[in-house]
Amino acid sequence: MKFAASILALAASATAFAPAPAARSATQLHESKADLEALAKELNPVVGFYDPLNLAEAEFWDSSNEATIGFLRHAEIKHGRVAMFAFVGYIVHANGIKFPWAMQLDGSPFPSETNPPALWDAVSDDAK
């Protein structure tokens, strides 16, 4: 009897570690120009839809308009992340933070400049 009770207790506690069933989220993709216009009006009613280069109607590399909008959204996210990382690097250099080891294999240290443009100019061409 005690054995059966201990097995049931273990089985009940094991369900606490079972993965929860994955709920499918309903993600709506805005892939056409009309969808983008509606989304822009909803998110920023003051400015609305602003596309001065008319990229929402373009079709790159003989792809559909929806594929072009998807490509442009992907590129915007990627370049935004690179820009954020570059800003963090700029702030790190401006505060004088540098790696504690040598910059190159010959033992030359990192420049001691704290101004990021001057620091970039002080780095040798081989290290760029």
Side-chain angles (χ1 to χ4, degrees), residues 3 16 21 32-33 36 43 45 49 52-53 59 75-76 80 82 88 93 95 97 100 107 109 114 119 124:
F3 181 72
S32 68
K33 183 177 179 184
L36 292 177
L43 295 176
F49 183 71
L53 297 178
E59 294 181 358
E76 183 178 9
V82 169
V88 169
H93 287 302
N95 288 309
I97 300 170
T114 57
L119 177 67
S124 66

Side-chain angles (χ1 to χ4, degrees), residues 37-91:
E37 288 173 353
L39 182 65
K41 196 65 174 168
E42 175 185 333
L43 295 176
N44 190 350
V46 175
V47 176
F49 183 71
Y50 181 71
D51 185 18
L53 297 178
N54 206 16
L55 292 175
E57 294 181 1
E59 294 181 358
F60 296 168
W61 304 290
D62 296 327
S63 296
S64 67
N65 181 258
E66 289 80 14
T68 301
I69 289 173
F71 169 78
L72 291 173
R73 288 179 146 202
H74 177 77
E76 183 178 9
I77 291 169
K78 177 178 65 172
H79 290 99
R81 289 176 179 166
V82 169
M84 288 185 279
F85 189 70
F87 177 74
V88 169
Y90 191 94
I91 295 300

